Amino acid sequence: MPRELPGLYWDEEKQRYFPLASPRRPQVVGPSTLHPPTKVQSALQTTRESHNLKRHVGNRSLLRTKEDARLSFRTTHKNKLMHQISCLQVAQTSHIASSSILSLTCCAITAFQAVSYNNNVHSFAGDTGGWFYSSVIGRDEPVTGHHTSHGWRPEFSLSSEISSICISGSRCIATSFGPESKILHFPLDLDSEDIRVTRVNNRSVRDIWTADFQGTRLVLGTNDQAVVIDDAADRATVCFMKTSSDVFAVAQDNNIIYTGSRAGIVQRFDSRIASTKGDRIFSDPSTTQNNSVTNLKIFYDWQLLTSNIDGSLAMFDLRFPSNRTPIMSFTGNINTYTTKTPIAVDPYEEFLFAAGQDRRIRLWSLRTGGPPLVSPASVFQKPFEDPVRALQVVEEEEGVLGLWATSGAALYKYNLGQRMEEDSEAMQC
């Protein structure tokens, strides 16, 4: 071991002493350094390593984000293309089947609803004479062939025009229009419950224009008010919501009730609040539109579709009730004075169907709005002989949709997306 000499240092490589002022500096060999790094140097080194690690992780996160955005764009673009293909297929629908209901009064059908329950398809219809009809067929049986006059059965007469039919769970509700409006309770399982007819025990209630039935709650649109029955079976609680105008349209979302009136006003009520005063939404409180609201439907939990007597169709954002500008409009519908112009939406909430005063059915994309989807070969281009009073889209099989429409005393079924040549090929096979 060389000795330490004042002013000199030992160079292990040269095996000799050098002055400390020499430009050659001692080299640190291995971890056994004579002068270990200070705390400041260690902190700087740790900070530098941490920064390099963060930069590496940040680069990986950026690359992952870019990849996720690329995949998301691909998925969105794919969904958009698939929707465009579906729009083209539905617009080209050319297959339609018709049947008749053996009406006891030869009156026009004013209401229709169908639902699958216990492996059967239950269908209900009502006419201007007040008769309520039903039809039950097996789930696996061909629907169109059985919806003929021999498949329908008159169940009950409410003495005046059937204004609406609603289904919730195992119960069907039908309402009648007139000074002595009635409510028909028809169970889907007749073995466990009987058919019965009730009335709202209030002389101020008449002219039931429409109804909405969800869960056990029934909402009626009547003269100058909406009537809310919390339990339609027991009629335990009845609430009257004053609108000062006839209610042509109603919709409900949990405890919130929406009404559309003859005066062209959309109001919102909270059934949990004792006060029956509603809030006007999507309109200027200081003015009256005088453009009657004929239909209301809720989509995606936060959008409200409205139709007016002038034929306009628009979508509003329920999260911004004071905004009078719709987020989407559907143009091309025709109406000037008819209050009974039905609309329907498919179960996947992709398409909107509306019947116009010109006795034509039009369809739109709920994603894009704008003008109707048209095709020269489509049956939607042909008008009916009588006004269309009811519409409903049902899913008969997985992914197979059918549009039911009533005109006069006839019932029509559109096989959406199916063309006549396709049906002929299927029959030949």
Side-chain angles (χ1 to χ4, degrees):
M1 180 72 180
R3 293 184 299 174
E4 292 186 7
L5 300 178
L8 300 174
Y9 72 91
W10 174 259
D11 190 323
E12 192 69 28
E13 182 181 355
K14 299 291 185 180
Q15 292 293 309
R16 56 173 293 188
Y17 288 97
F18 286 93
L20 290 177
S22 172
R24 189 178 183 87
R25 288 290 181 265
Q27 297 179 356
V28 179
V29 180
S32 58
T33 174
L34 297 177
H35 302 283
T38 63
K39 293 183 178 180
V40 175
Q41 291 174 335
S42 300
L44 290 175
Q45 183 177 0
T46 303
T47 302
R48 189 178 300 109
E49 293 176 355
S50 176
H51 177 72
N52 292 336
L53 178 61
K54 288 181 179 180
R55 184 172 60 182
H56 179 66
V57 173
N59 290 338
R60 291 184 59 187
S61 299
L62 181 60
L63 293 174
R64 183 181 298 274
T65 302
K66 289 182 177 180
E67 183 64 22
D68 292 343
R70 188 180 297 108
L71 293 176
S72 177
F73 174 77
R74 291 175 182 173
T75 303
T76 303
H77 185 63
K78 178 181 177 181
N79 292 338
K80 184 178 179 180
L81 290 178
M82 293 298 294
H83 180 69
Q84 290 175 351
I85 294 173
S86 298
C87 289
L88 181 61
Q89 291 175 338
V90 174
Q92 290 180 342
T93 300
S94 60
H95 183 275
I96 182 173
S98 63
S99 61
S100 61
I101 297 177
L102 184 59
S103 174
L104 298 178
T105 57
C106 298
C107 296
I109 304 172
T110 56
F112 173 86
Q113 280 287 298
V115 68
S116 295
Y117 180 77
N118 284 348
N119 295 322
N120 291 322
V121 177
H122 295 253
S123 302
F124 305 97
D127 61 20
T128 54
W131 276 98
F132 177 81
Y133 305 87
S134 72
S135 171
V136 182
I137 63 173
R139 175 72 174 174
D140 298 330
E141 299 178 32
V143 177
T144 306
H146 289 263
H147 278 84
T148 55
S149 57
H150 67 271
W152 289 90
R153 182 174 64 181
E155 297 286 356
F156 205 89
S157 175
L158 296 181
S159 302
S160 59
E161 177 181 322
I162 303 296
S163 57
S164 69
I165 296 177
C166 310
I167 301 174
S168 178
S170 61
R171 185 181 299 273
C172 176
I173 296 288
T175 62
S176 66
F177 182 83
E180 296 184 359
S181 299
K182 302 174 184 177
I183 304 172
L184 173 66
H185 301 255
F186 190 91
L188 301 187
D189 187 359
L190 290 173
D191 295 333
S192 61
E193 191 176 351
D194 295 330
I195 303 173
R196 62 189 180 92
V197 178
T198 62
R199 296 180 181 176
V200 179
N201 296 325
N202 191 304
R203 293 184 177 180
S204 65
V205 177
R206 62 182 186 276
D207 296 340
I208 299 180
W209 297 90
T210 186
D212 186 43
F213 189 27
Q214 292 187 16
T216 61
R217 177 184 290 147
L218 176 65
V219 181
L220 305 174
T222 70
N223 58 304
D224 299 335
Q225 61 191 334
V227 180
V228 181
I229 305 174
D230 280 338
D231 193 333
D234 298 332
R235 295 184 299 162
T237 304
V238 180
C239 180
F240 302 93
M241 300 178 174
K242 301 296 181 180
T243 59
S244 301
S245 181
D246 293 342
V247 176
F248 290 162
V250 293
Q252 55 177 316
D253 181 20
N254 294 325
N255 295 303
I256 306 300
I257 310 297
Y258 299 93
T259 64
S261 68
R262 182 192 295 271
I265 300 173
V266 178
Q267 288 180 270
R268 180 184 58 189
F269 297 86
D270 192 333
S271 60
R272 297 166 296 184
I273 301 177
S275 173
T276 58
K277 183 179 180 181
D279 300 321
R280 293 178 59 169
I281 59 177
F282 311 131
S283 63
D284 189 348
S286 62
T287 62
T288 302
Q289 297 180 9
N290 293 322
N291 184 14
S292 301
V293 180
T294 55
N295 290 283
L296 293 175
K297 283 189 178 297
I298 299 175
F299 298 99
Y300 314 125
D301 297 328
W302 56 275
Q303 294 181 5
L304 182 67
L305 175 68
T306 67
S307 71
N308 294 81
I309 203 169
D310 65 352
S312 59
L313 295 160
M315 192 86 75
F316 291 89
D317 193 331
L318 290 171
R319 298 170 298 181
F320 305 98
S322 61
N323 189 357
R324 298 190 293 272
T325 303
I327 58 176
M328 188 179 297
S329 296
F330 307 86
T331 61
N333 193 32
I334 296 177
N335 193 21
T336 55
Y337 59 83
T338 305
T339 59
K340 291 291 185 178
T341 50
I343 64 175
V345 174
D346 69 287
Y348 298 101
E349 298 182 344
E350 296 280 343
F351 301 101
L352 167 65
F353 300 84
Q357 188 176 300
D358 57 351
R359 304 189 302 279
R360 282 186 170 91
I361 298 176
R362 295 174 175 84
L363 69 142
W364 294 262
S365 166
L366 282 171
R367 293 189 184 184
T368 60
L373 304 175
V374 295
S375 175
S378 174
V379 291
F380 294 113
Q381 299 296 315
K382 302 176 182 179
F384 290 89
E385 293 183 1
D386 299 294
V388 179
R389 296 293 300 272
L391 291 174
Q392 185 191 11
V393 183
V394 297
E395 186 177 23
E396 297 175 350
E397 301 176 15
E398 185 177 357
V400 179
L401 301 177
L403 170 65
W404 291 95
T406 67
S407 176
L411 179 64
Y412 299 86
K413 176 177 176 287
Y414 296 83
N415 296 318
L416 296 179
Q418 185 175 357
R419 291 176 289 180
M420 290 297 295
E421 53 267 25
E422 295 175 356
D423 189 57
S424 300
E425 293 175 359
M427 293 180 63
Q428 292 175 0
C429 295

